[in-house]
Amino acid sequence: MNGNCEYQGVGEAPKKDGFAHFMLKEIYEQPQAFQKALQGRIQQGQVKFAELNLTREQVKRWDKIYIIACGTAYHSGLFGKLLLEEFLGVAVEVEIASEFRYRHPLLNENTLAIFVSQSGETADTLGALRKAKNSGATTLAITNVVGSTIAQEADYNLYLGAGPEIAVASTKAYTSMLIMQYLLSIYLAQVKGTMPEQKKAKILTALQELPEKAQQILTQREFYPEVIQKIKNVQSLFFIGRVFDYYIALEGALKLKETSYIHAEAYGAGEIKHGTMAIVTEETPVVAVAVQKSVYEKTVHIVKEVVAKGAFVSAVVEEGDTEMQKWAHHVIYIPQIENIVSPILAVIPLQLLAYYTAVARGCNVDQPRNLTKAVTME
Ligand code: M6R
């Protein structure tokens, strides 16, 4: 099944609107997608979801939260875990749907299970949703395709509104999922009364700045040719970062693998020392994400180490950063923004890196070999 079918009129082919590929078009549609994800959901300094009418008693009852998804959607769930644990004070587990559905998770009526799926038709995510429902958990879906099975079967559903995503590699749906993770975690904490107003105000202001700042990133094409030359013919490369930057690194690695067929792995920057450093050489470029201030120095430290092993390093940092350029061979700058949301911007250069590398290697960018847009069969 085509996960985007409801967006296309009968007989109407999706259009690239002058872009060489759907993936590039969808990367460039992110500012509008961000606006759609935010539209109507921030009112007078509060997060509002017309789709949710949760009471404080309901939210307080949840003593365990799961976020369950596959692939890129799973990567967005990692953000949800950190945000919910911090804002709501409840333990959150993020699980790969194909694993979750075949084990014995602790689920009951005090559990909230959140399912994230662009298509809303992914077989494993749907199987996990049915399992959670049968165990008495409250289920909440975050989906993009209107009327999908997951959207219909979950107790609650939040639409991303990112519009049709045709390229197999998810880009605008992913960043819209990230925005939704911020909005949802703030909303739940707001209902429960655990979110400091000042902190909420800062984050909501920053989320509203995202469309404009994403647009700035999309106009800065000068960063990519040099790094593409360095990575387009390698066998393998690594992405590193810490905390949110690590989750972005995971997404960057997946994007590069699926579009350009280069082997790529992501590590929490410190973890690379526990084995993988043995294969870091001049043959293995490293892409470092270092936009989180709280862990910035730690990531710089690992960058110095991989440079000493001979690796070419390209780093994504915030504008105004003067330290990283002393160590990394190549630096990509993103606009400054409230630090907790900066990783949403930092992933855009990684999407472009994957796209341009795939093009340079002559790959079938929109329809990579062996993959389908929605994995509706196990
Ligand atoms: O439609 P879904 O969000 O449930 O799809 C989940 C994954 O199959 C999907 O995110 C996949 O990893 C993408 N091709 C990544 O770009």
Side-chain angles (χ1 to χ4, degrees), residues 70-73 116-120 122 125 168-170 177 251 254-255 258 372-375:
C70 301
T72 283
V116 191
S117 175
Q118 189 284 131
S119 63
T122 298
T125 310
V168 165
S170 181
M177 286 169 190
E251 177 61 8
L254 178 63
K255 223 84 300 180
E258 71 180 323
T372 54
K373 183 65 182 160
V375 184

PDB file of all heavy atoms in Angstrom, residues 70-73 116-120 122 125 168-170 177 251 254-255 258 372-375, ligand 1:
ATOM      1  N   CYS A  70       9.206   2.571  14.451  1.00  0.00           N
ATOM      2  CA  CYS A  70      10.271   1.943  13.651  1.00  0.00           C
ATOM      3  C   CYS A  70      11.089   3.032  12.957  1.00  0.00           C
ATOM      4  O   CYS A  70      10.556   4.097  12.617  1.00  0.00           O
ATOM      5  CB  CYS A  70       9.670   1.070  12.559  1.00  0.00           C
ATOM      6  SG  CYS A  70       8.618  -0.246  13.163  1.00  0.00           S
ATOM      7  N   GLY A  71      12.337   2.717  12.701  1.00  0.00           N
ATOM      8  CA  GLY A  71      13.197   3.560  11.848  1.00  0.00           C
ATOM      9  C   GLY A  71      13.276   5.001  12.315  1.00  0.00           C
ATOM     10  O   GLY A  71      13.521   5.313  13.483  1.00  0.00           O
ATOM     11  N   THR A  72      13.048   5.888  11.362  1.00  0.00           N
ATOM     12  CA  THR A  72      13.132   7.319  11.639  1.00  0.00           C
ATOM     13  C   THR A  72      12.130   7.753  12.709  1.00  0.00           C
ATOM     14  O   THR A  72      12.430   8.599  13.556  1.00  0.00           O
ATOM     15  CB  THR A  72      12.901   8.077  10.316  1.00  0.00           C
ATOM     16  OG1 THR A  72      14.099   7.993   9.559  1.00  0.00           O
ATOM     17  CG2 THR A  72      12.532   9.513  10.509  1.00  0.00           C
ATOM     18  N   ALA A  73      10.932   7.165  12.676  1.00  0.00           N
ATOM     19  CA  ALA A  73       9.917   7.514  13.681  1.00  0.00           C
ATOM     20  C   ALA A  73      10.423   7.132  15.080  1.00  0.00           C
ATOM     21  O   ALA A  73      10.203   7.854  16.058  1.00  0.00           O
ATOM     22  CB  ALA A  73       8.602   6.803  13.357  1.00  0.00           C
ATOM     23  N   VAL A 116       4.371   6.233  16.961  1.00  0.00           N
ATOM     24  CA  VAL A 116       4.722   7.266  15.987  1.00  0.00           C
ATOM     25  C   VAL A 116       4.896   6.597  14.623  1.00  0.00           C
ATOM     26  O   VAL A 116       5.641   5.617  14.502  1.00  0.00           O
ATOM     27  CB  VAL A 116       6.030   7.996  16.380  1.00  0.00           C
ATOM     28  CG1 VAL A 116       6.228   9.235  15.509  1.00  0.00           C
ATOM     29  CG2 VAL A 116       6.026   8.381  17.859  1.00  0.00           C
ATOM     30  N   SER A 117       4.208   7.118  13.621  1.00  0.00           N
ATOM     31  CA  SER A 117       4.300   6.511  12.285  1.00  0.00           C
ATOM     32  C   SER A 117       3.879   7.517  11.225  1.00  0.00           C
ATOM     33  O   SER A 117       2.751   8.021  11.255  1.00  0.00           O
ATOM     34  CB  SER A 117       3.401   5.279  12.206  1.00  0.00           C
ATOM     35  OG  SER A 117       3.399   4.758  10.905  1.00  0.00           O
ATOM     36  N   GLN A 118       4.768   7.802  10.291  1.00  0.00           N
ATOM     37  CA  GLN A 118       4.419   8.695   9.184  1.00  0.00           C
ATOM     38  C   GLN A 118       3.236   8.115   8.425  1.00  0.00           C
ATOM     39  O   GLN A 118       2.218   8.781   8.249  1.00  0.00           O
ATOM     40  CB  GLN A 118       5.621   8.848   8.253  1.00  0.00           C
ATOM     41  CG  GLN A 118       5.516   9.902   7.162  1.00  0.00           C
ATOM     42  CD  GLN A 118       4.639   9.524   5.973  1.00  0.00           C
ATOM     43  OE1 GLN A 118       3.772  10.334   5.563  1.00  0.00           O
ATOM     44  NE2 GLN A 118       4.789   8.346   5.438  1.00  0.00           N
ATOM     45  N   SER A 119       3.364   6.876   7.988  1.00  0.00           N
ATOM     46  CA  SER A 119       2.338   6.267   7.128  1.00  0.00           C
ATOM     47  C   SER A 119       1.100   5.875   7.914  1.00  0.00           C
ATOM     48  O   SER A 119      -0.003   5.832   7.372  1.00  0.00           O
ATOM     49  CB  SER A 119       2.913   5.017   6.457  1.00  0.00           C
ATOM     50  OG  SER A 119       3.242   4.041   7.449  1.00  0.00           O
ATOM     51  N   GLY A 120       1.310   5.512   9.193  1.00  0.00           N
ATOM     52  CA  GLY A 120       0.201   4.983   9.981  1.00  0.00           C
ATOM     53  C   GLY A 120      -0.179   3.571   9.571  1.00  0.00           C
ATOM     54  O   GLY A 120      -1.230   3.062   9.999  1.00  0.00           O
ATOM     55  N   THR A 122       2.510   0.990   9.234  1.00  0.00           N
ATOM     56  CA  THR A 122       3.647   0.086   9.462  1.00  0.00           C
ATOM     57  C   THR A 122       3.177  -1.116  10.290  1.00  0.00           C
ATOM     58  O   THR A 122       2.632  -0.952  11.391  1.00  0.00           O
ATOM     59  CB  THR A 122       4.779   0.857  10.162  1.00  0.00           C
ATOM     60  OG1 THR A 122       5.179   1.913   9.276  1.00  0.00           O
ATOM     61  CG2 THR A 122       5.964  -0.032  10.457  1.00  0.00           C
ATOM     62  N   THR A 125       4.352  -1.525  13.978  1.00  0.00           N
ATOM     63  CA  THR A 125       3.822  -0.485  14.875  1.00  0.00           C
ATOM     64  C   THR A 125       2.339  -0.754  15.145  1.00  0.00           C
ATOM     65  O   THR A 125       1.874  -0.624  16.286  1.00  0.00           O
ATOM     66  CB  THR A 125       4.044   0.914  14.249  1.00  0.00           C
ATOM     67  OG1 THR A 125       5.421   1.005  13.840  1.00  0.00           O
ATOM     68  CG2 THR A 125       3.743   2.026  15.228  1.00  0.00           C
ATOM     69  N   VAL A 168      11.235   7.741  -0.177  1.00  0.00           N
ATOM     70  CA  VAL A 168      11.310   6.700   0.860  1.00  0.00           C
ATOM     71  C   VAL A 168      12.015   7.249   2.107  1.00  0.00           C
ATOM     72  O   VAL A 168      11.601   6.983   3.237  1.00  0.00           O
ATOM     73  CB  VAL A 168      12.019   5.443   0.303  1.00  0.00           C
ATOM     74  CG1 VAL A 168      12.430   4.499   1.423  1.00  0.00           C
ATOM     75  CG2 VAL A 168      11.096   4.729  -0.683  1.00  0.00           C
ATOM     76  N   ALA A 169      13.055   8.020   1.909  1.00  0.00           N
ATOM     77  CA  ALA A 169      13.779   8.597   3.054  1.00  0.00           C
ATOM     78  C   ALA A 169      12.936   9.707   3.676  1.00  0.00           C
ATOM     79  O   ALA A 169      12.643  10.714   3.035  1.00  0.00           O
ATOM     80  CB  ALA A 169      15.119   9.144   2.603  1.00  0.00           C
ATOM     81  N   SER A 170      12.581   9.515   4.911  1.00  0.00           N
ATOM     82  CA  SER A 170      11.724  10.492   5.584  1.00  0.00           C
ATOM     83  C   SER A 170      12.542  11.718   6.005  1.00  0.00           C
ATOM     84  O   SER A 170      13.612  11.586   6.601  1.00  0.00           O
ATOM     85  CB  SER A 170      11.103   9.830   6.819  1.00  0.00           C
ATOM     86  OG  SER A 170      10.248  10.731   7.470  1.00  0.00           O
ATOM     87  N   MET A 177       7.714  15.270  13.400  1.00  0.00           N
ATOM     88  CA  MET A 177       7.562  14.387  14.572  1.00  0.00           C
ATOM     89  C   MET A 177       8.309  14.965  15.773  1.00  0.00           C
ATOM     90  O   MET A 177       7.842  14.893  16.905  1.00  0.00           O
ATOM     91  CB  MET A 177       8.123  12.990  14.273  1.00  0.00           C
ATOM     92  CG  MET A 177       7.281  12.140  13.369  1.00  0.00           C
ATOM     93  SD  MET A 177       8.234  10.665  12.875  1.00  0.00           S
ATOM     94  CE  MET A 177       7.160   9.998  11.603  1.00  0.00           C
ATOM     95  N   GLU A 251      19.913   9.545  13.209  1.00  0.00           N
ATOM     96  CA  GLU A 251      19.081   9.826  12.036  1.00  0.00           C
ATOM     97  C   GLU A 251      19.962  10.146  10.816  1.00  0.00           C
ATOM     98  O   GLU A 251      19.670   9.697   9.700  1.00  0.00           O
ATOM     99  CB  GLU A 251      18.130  10.992  12.363  1.00  0.00           C
ATOM    100  CG  GLU A 251      17.252  11.454  11.244  1.00  0.00           C
ATOM    101  CD  GLU A 251      16.292  10.405  10.689  1.00  0.00           C
ATOM    102  OE1 GLU A 251      16.174   9.321  11.269  1.00  0.00           O
ATOM    103  OE2 GLU A 251      15.685  10.668   9.640  1.00  0.00           O
ATOM    104  N   LEU A 254      21.272   6.850   9.416  1.00  0.00           N
ATOM    105  CA  LEU A 254      20.229   6.092   8.698  1.00  0.00           C
ATOM    106  C   LEU A 254      19.964   6.722   7.333  1.00  0.00           C
ATOM    107  O   LEU A 254      19.850   6.029   6.317  1.00  0.00           O
ATOM    108  CB  LEU A 254      18.939   6.047   9.531  1.00  0.00           C
ATOM    109  CG  LEU A 254      17.748   5.332   8.887  1.00  0.00           C
ATOM    110  CD1 LEU A 254      18.050   3.851   8.641  1.00  0.00           C
ATOM    111  CD2 LEU A 254      16.503   5.457   9.748  1.00  0.00           C
ATOM    112  N   LYS A 255      19.883   8.058   7.306  1.00  0.00           N
ATOM    113  CA  LYS A 255      19.598   8.761   6.054  1.00  0.00           C
ATOM    114  C   LYS A 255      20.695   8.494   5.028  1.00  0.00           C
ATOM    115  O   LYS A 255      20.426   8.237   3.862  1.00  0.00           O
ATOM    116  CB  LYS A 255      19.500  10.268   6.342  1.00  0.00           C
ATOM    117  CG  LYS A 255      18.412  10.995   5.684  1.00  0.00           C
ATOM    118  CD  LYS A 255      17.062  10.956   6.368  1.00  0.00           C
ATOM    119  CE  LYS A 255      16.487   9.593   6.544  1.00  0.00           C
ATOM    120  NZ  LYS A 255      15.199   9.563   7.207  1.00  0.00           N
ATOM    121  N   GLU A 258      20.487   4.736   3.742  1.00  0.00           N
ATOM    122  CA  GLU A 258      19.385   4.352   2.855  1.00  0.00           C
ATOM    123  C   GLU A 258      19.422   5.074   1.521  1.00  0.00           C
ATOM    124  O   GLU A 258      18.960   4.532   0.520  1.00  0.00           O
ATOM    125  CB  GLU A 258      18.018   4.495   3.539  1.00  0.00           C
ATOM    126  CG  GLU A 258      17.530   5.867   3.796  1.00  0.00           C
ATOM    127  CD  GLU A 258      16.153   5.900   4.471  1.00  0.00           C
ATOM    128  OE1 GLU A 258      15.298   5.063   4.161  1.00  0.00           O
ATOM    129  OE2 GLU A 258      15.948   6.786   5.311  1.00  0.00           O
ATOM    130  N   THR A 372      10.758   0.102   0.837  1.00  0.00           N
ATOM    131  CA  THR A 372       9.462   0.661   0.439  1.00  0.00           C
ATOM    132  C   THR A 372       9.095   1.764   1.427  1.00  0.00           C
ATOM    133  O   THR A 372       9.621   1.817   2.531  1.00  0.00           O
ATOM    134  CB  THR A 372       8.330  -0.394   0.487  1.00  0.00           C
ATOM    135  OG1 THR A 372       8.318  -0.971   1.794  1.00  0.00           O
ATOM    136  CG2 THR A 372       8.515  -1.466  -0.549  1.00  0.00           C
ATOM    137  N   LYS A 373       8.201   2.615   1.015  1.00  0.00           N
ATOM    138  CA  LYS A 373       7.847   3.762   1.857  1.00  0.00           C
ATOM    139  C   LYS A 373       7.165   3.309   3.141  1.00  0.00           C
ATOM    140  O   LYS A 373       7.484   3.796   4.213  1.00  0.00           O
ATOM    141  CB  LYS A 373       6.938   4.723   1.063  1.00  0.00           C
ATOM    142  CG  LYS A 373       6.556   5.986   1.809  1.00  0.00           C
ATOM    143  CD  LYS A 373       7.766   6.871   2.085  1.00  0.00           C
ATOM    144  CE  LYS A 373       7.429   8.114   2.869  1.00  0.00           C
ATOM    145  NZ  LYS A 373       8.626   8.687   3.524  1.00  0.00           N
ATOM    146  N   ALA A 374       6.232   2.394   3.025  1.00  0.00           N
ATOM    147  CA  ALA A 374       5.547   1.908   4.229  1.00  0.00           C
ATOM    148  C   ALA A 374       5.721   0.393   4.295  1.00  0.00           C
ATOM    149  O   ALA A 374       5.356  -0.310   3.352  1.00  0.00           O
ATOM    150  CB  ALA A 374       4.082   2.287   4.192  1.00  0.00           C
ATOM    151  N   VAL A 375       6.267  -0.079   5.396  1.00  0.00           N
ATOM    152  CA  VAL A 375       6.532  -1.520   5.550  1.00  0.00           C
ATOM    153  C   VAL A 375       5.265  -2.151   6.141  1.00  0.00           C
ATOM    154  O   VAL A 375       5.129  -2.279   7.355  1.00  0.00           O
ATOM    155  CB  VAL A 375       7.785  -1.769   6.410  1.00  0.00           C
ATOM    156  CG1 VAL A 375       8.098  -3.262   6.488  1.00  0.00           C
ATOM    157  CG2 VAL A 375       8.977  -1.004   5.846  1.00  0.00           C
TER     158      VAL A 375
HETATM  159  O1  M6R B   1       5.631   5.110   8.204  1.00  0.00           O
HETATM  160  P1  M6R B   1       6.498   4.919   9.422  1.00  0.00           P
HETATM  161  O2  M6R B   1       6.899   6.196  10.051  1.00  0.00           O
HETATM  162  O3  M6R B   1       5.875   3.988  10.424  1.00  0.00           O
HETATM  163  O4  M6R B   1       7.790   4.212   8.882  1.00  0.00           O
HETATM  164  C1  M6R B   1       8.777   3.763   9.758  1.00  0.00           C
HETATM  165  C2  M6R B   1      10.054   3.468   9.015  1.00  0.00           C
HETATM  166  O5  M6R B   1       9.851   2.449   8.084  1.00  0.00           O
HETATM  167  C3  M6R B   1      10.605   4.704   8.301  1.00  0.00           C
HETATM  168  O6  M6R B   1      10.768   5.766   9.178  1.00  0.00           O
HETATM  169  C4  M6R B   1      11.947   4.396   7.632  1.00  0.00           C
HETATM  170  O7  M6R B   1      12.920   4.168   8.599  1.00  0.00           O
HETATM  171  C5  M6R B   1      12.311   5.540   6.680  1.00  0.00           C
HETATM  172  N1  M6R B   1      12.570   5.050   5.374  1.00  0.00           N
HETATM  173  C6  M6R B   1      13.491   6.320   7.137  1.00  0.00           C
HETATM  174  O8  M6R B   1      13.817   7.351   6.260  1.00  0.00           O
END
